[in-house]
Amino acid sequence: MTNRRNFLRNASFLVVGGALAGKTGSANAILPVATKTNAKNLGLQIYSLGRELSPDVPGGLKKVAQMGYTSIELAGYSSEGKIGGTPMADFKKYADDAGLTITSSHLNPPVRGPYTADNLGQIKDFWKKATDHHAAIGVKYIIQPGQPATRSVEEVAYVGEVFNEAGKIAKAGGLVWGYHNHSGEFARVVPGGTEPVTGRVGRNAPAGIEIIYDGLLKNTDPSLVIFELDVYWAVMGQQDPVAYMKKYADRIRALHIKDVAVLGESGMMNFQKIYEVAYANGIQDFYVELENYSGGTQFEGVKGCADYLLKATFVK
Ligand code: MG
């Protein structure tokens, strides 16, 4: 994979050089599709394309590659081994044909209520099957994006144990298990609590109060569980994603690059700082995520995000 990446990077550099010299056409003509794009490392969470991708997955993935994306993170796994209705082996072939690497996948165990000893077996069975399915197409990460019930310090600790079990199963299958946040994880919980505590915590904070996200970090084994930080949802949780990346440099190993809608348009996200710290931490996996876009098709919005990152001098 490294060789292929290096090849693409070097080959793409030639295209950039060709463009500068006014020879884009001739350079493009001799290069495969993927190398027509920029050499930057850009990942896309395919959830961003919603229903627009499913009518033509092969064609849609080619469009994604042409926008400049180099890798994708799946969404829509079902335990029959399909991604949004497409068998995973077929999806992998379509990605290969487009020149995209599938590096990650988002999926949730089928347990809606609190995690307990009674449903632990069901959760473990889910991850076992999911690990087998994903190992077969060679992804790096399987990542849970759904927050389980975490209403007390004790419940957070138990969820951490369950995450460790999931991590063991993934690791045994050659994968890395991870957790992706929204904003709810930045609420606080107290020992014996019955619901999360939101808002500011003053000097009279109850003993043992903790931010759920910090509790999940504390209660998971670094050798079994990585964290994919969604930088936008951290901000929506009134936390600084950069501070978290600095504090947990060895735990936060992948990022969701997200804004209100198209990247950079809201002006509220400091992507330059986020990328600087990510590179300093050795993070290699970045996934653009687009939600709530109403300015055109989702493909157009996803292209707008790529254009922003391709133009940004701080993105490598
Ligand atoms: Mg996200």
Side-chain angles (χ1 to χ4, degrees):
M1 194 156 74
T2 305
N3 287 340
R4 178 176 161 76
R5 281 222 176 122
N6 285 341
F7 165 72
L8 291 177
R9 190 166 291 138
N10 293 337
S12 302
F13 181 75
L14 294 177
V15 175
V16 174
L20 289 174
K23 293 176 188 164
T24 321
S26 59
N28 280 355
I30 56 165
L31 292 167
V33 170
T35 60
K36 285 184 185 174
T37 58
N38 192 289
K40 292 186 180 187
N41 169 19
L42 302 189
L44 175 71
Q45 163 51 256
I46 62 160
Y47 164 80
S48 310
L49 294 168
R51 292 195 205 113
E52 289 183 19
L53 180 62
S54 47
D56 177 14
V57 176
L61 293 181
K62 280 181 185 149
K63 276 194 223 169
V64 166
Q66 279 158 3
M67 290 174 195
Y69 291 99
T70 51
S71 63
I72 53 171
E73 179 177 64
L74 303 175
Y77 166 80
S78 62
S79 53
E80 314 89 74
K82 291 181 179 173
I83 297 295
T86 301
M88 288 169 77
D90 293 349
F91 210 106
K92 158 90 168 122
K93 186 187 178 304
Y94 302 149
D96 285 346
D97 290 348
L100 293 169
T101 310
I102 304 174
T103 46
S104 181
S105 182
H106 271 201
L107 55 162
N108 288 305
V111 171
R112 292 289 165 248
Y115 289 180
T116 65
D118 288 340
N119 55 40
L120 180 60
Q122 194 189 351
I123 293 169
K124 286 169 74 170
D125 288 348
F126 170 82
W127 289 117
K128 176 76 184 75
K129 196 180 253 187
T131 294
D132 291 345
H133 280 142
H134 285 86
I137 60 162
V139 307
K140 186 167 163 189
Y141 304 114
I142 47 175
I143 293 182
Q144 174 167 338
Q147 184 183 359
T150 46
R151 298 163 296 186
S152 65
V153 166
E154 294 79 5
E155 215 163 48
V156 170
Y158 188 70
V159 165
E161 281 181 45
V162 175
F163 285 0
N164 285 336
E165 292 302 314
K168 279 181 208 164
I169 293 164
K171 195 174 187 175
L175 306 182
V176 174
W177 193 90
Y179 181 68
H180 161 284
N181 62 284
H182 290 88
S183 58
E185 290 84 348
F186 298 98
R188 292 172 170 82
V189 284
V190 296
T194 53
E195 58 182 340
V197 183
T198 51
R200 287 197 170 276
V201 174
R203 246 179 257 158
N204 299 323
I209 191 168
E210 69 181 11
I211 292 177
I212 294 165
Y213 199 72
D214 297 56
L216 292 174
L217 282 154
K218 187 178 73 184
N219 288 291
T220 45
D221 180 340
S223 74
L224 299 173
V225 174
I226 65 116
F227 286 76
E228 178 185 66
L229 182 68
D230 186 307
V231 295
Y232 167 82
W233 286 117
V235 168
M236 295 309 281
Q238 300 180 22
Q239 296 293 329
D240 177 4
V242 169
Y244 266 93
M245 288 160 66
K246 285 182 175 168
K247 187 172 177 188
Y248 297 103
D250 56 338
R251 308 296 310 279
I252 294 170
R253 302 309 303 157
L255 296 181
H256 261 204
I257 300 298
K258 177 167 156 56
D259 204 329
V260 176
V262 173
L263 299 180
E265 287 187 355
S266 77
M268 65 175 256
M269 298 298 301
N270 189 345
F271 289 116
Q272 175 156 4
K273 193 71 192 162
I274 287 164
Y275 270 91
E276 276 171 22
V277 176
Y279 292 137
N281 288 354
I283 291 177
Q284 295 177 345
D285 298 290
F286 305 85
Y287 303 102
V288 166
E289 186 173 42
L290 177 76
E291 237 176 337
N292 301 319
Y293 179 61
S294 54
T297 66
Q298 285 167 308
F299 272 101
E300 285 165 352
V302 161
K303 181 174 187 308
C305 292
D307 289 346
Y308 170 79
L309 295 174
L310 292 174
K311 231 179 278 174
T313 52
F314 53 82
V315 177
K316 295 179 198 168

